[in-house]
Amino acid sequence: MTDLSSVARRALPLLDLTDLSDGCTDAAIDALCARAETPVGNVAAVCVFPAFVARAKKTLAGTGIAVATVVNFPAGGDDTVAVEAETDKALADGADEIDLVMPYRAFLAGRPGFAETQIVRVKRRLGAAHKLKVILETGRLVEPAAIRAASDLALGAGADFIKTSTGKVDVNATPAAAEIMLTAIRDSGRPAGFKAAGGIRTAADAAVYLDLADRILGPDWASARTFRFGASGLLDDLLAQLGHGAAAKPSAY
């Protein structure tokens, strides 16, 4: 039987605590940043819309918590110049990590070179201190072969992490997609990370993904440098498993 308190202790510092809700406000960002510092340790990062990067950066100064933001979100569009400009503004405002939605529609339409070029061009704008997470939107890629090809493409284009989902479609993170992506990271032979996002609400959910990472990449692989959970509600259940609140209801895949 899985020891959920051990899972919670392991998962909490891997969390990108997220608010990408429609109608997000300054007050919501302040609350998010306050939640990111918990009685049992800090999360890895907060993930917010670009408009809130500067506020989050100022609020979290000195905490060691990174500020992540999203670009080309959520549609994964084709306007690379606009995506570059969005990235530049986010970096100027203090973003530490950029979560880029790969232009997955172009990829699915037989234009992988376009998708690769956009990733390369965004990656070039990031200095060594900034991480690029490429969102594949696996729920739209659907087929295992497409998920593997997109993973290989993003890793080859310089992604520091590959991420499952935006959380804005009907199918987001799944263990099946995660297994393909983690295997691609292993096979790439380069230091890259994995982020599971969308629909991960409980410590039991988190355990599924950590177990996959342990099996495919080894029990010492997953750390904040290589593994993240993107979620808004997961923190509450992790804290509950550690004696700080009420546990969430189980999820079903």
Side-chain angles (χ1 to χ4, degrees):
M1 184 174 180
T2 301
D3 179 355
L4 293 181
S5 64
S6 294
V7 172
R9 278 191 293 273
R10 188 179 180 194
L12 192 149
L14 309 181
L15 181 60
D16 284 3
L17 186 62
T18 300
D19 190 339
L20 297 172
S21 59
D22 296 337
C24 185
T25 64
D26 286 346
I29 295 302
D30 291 346
L32 187 80
C33 292
R35 290 180 65 216
E37 297 183 84
T38 87
V40 288
N42 294 349
V43 304
V46 298
C47 186
V48 300
F49 280 122
F52 298 106
V53 166
R55 188 178 190 90
K57 188 72 173 181
K58 181 177 180 181
T59 303
L60 293 171
T63 65
I65 300 169
V67 175
T69 194
V70 290
V71 298
N72 207 23
F73 186 91
D78 290 358
D79 190 344
T80 299
V81 172
V83 177
E84 289 177 302
E86 192 176 21
T87 301
D88 289 345
K89 178 63 163 59
L91 294 173
D93 284 347
D96 301 294
E97 302 175 357
I98 299 294
D99 289 24
L100 162 71
V101 183
M102 183 185 81
Y104 62 88
R105 291 183 180 85
F107 176 84
L108 288 171
R111 300 167 62 205
F114 179 89
E116 180 181 24
T117 297
Q118 185 175 109
I119 296 167
V120 168
R121 285 173 59 171
V122 172
K123 174 65 176 175
R124 285 176 182 162
R125 310 188 92 76
L126 277 63
H130 301 91
K131 294 185 184 300
L132 175 63
K133 307 191 199 93
V134 177
I135 305 171
L136 306 184
E137 201 69 289
T138 55
R140 290 287 187 259
L141 298 178
V142 181
E143 296 297 331
I147 295 170
R148 177 57 193 255
S151 298
D152 290 343
L153 182 150
L155 291 166
D160 297 299
F161 279 72
I162 50 175
K163 175 178 171 181
T164 58
S165 322
T166 60
K168 298 292 187 179
V169 295
D170 49 349
V171 176
N172 291 289
T174 66
E179 182 161 9
I180 295 166
M181 294 168 68
L182 288 162
T183 301
I185 291 168
R186 181 197 66 194
D187 293 349
S188 75
R190 60 177 295 262
F194 168 77
K195 180 173 173 179
I200 301 164
R201 299 182 178 89
T202 69
D205 294 340
V208 173
Y209 293 94
L210 288 169
D211 287 348
L212 281 169
D214 289 348
R215 175 168 61 81
I216 295 168
L217 285 152
D220 299 322
W221 179 78
S223 72
R225 291 178 290 103
T226 57
F227 191 107
R228 301 286 181 86
F229 292 106
S232 56
L234 176 60
L235 179 60
D236 290 338
D237 192 62
L238 299 181
L239 290 172
Q241 299 299 336
L242 297 171
H244 297 272
K249 294 181 180 179
S251 300
Y253 292 111

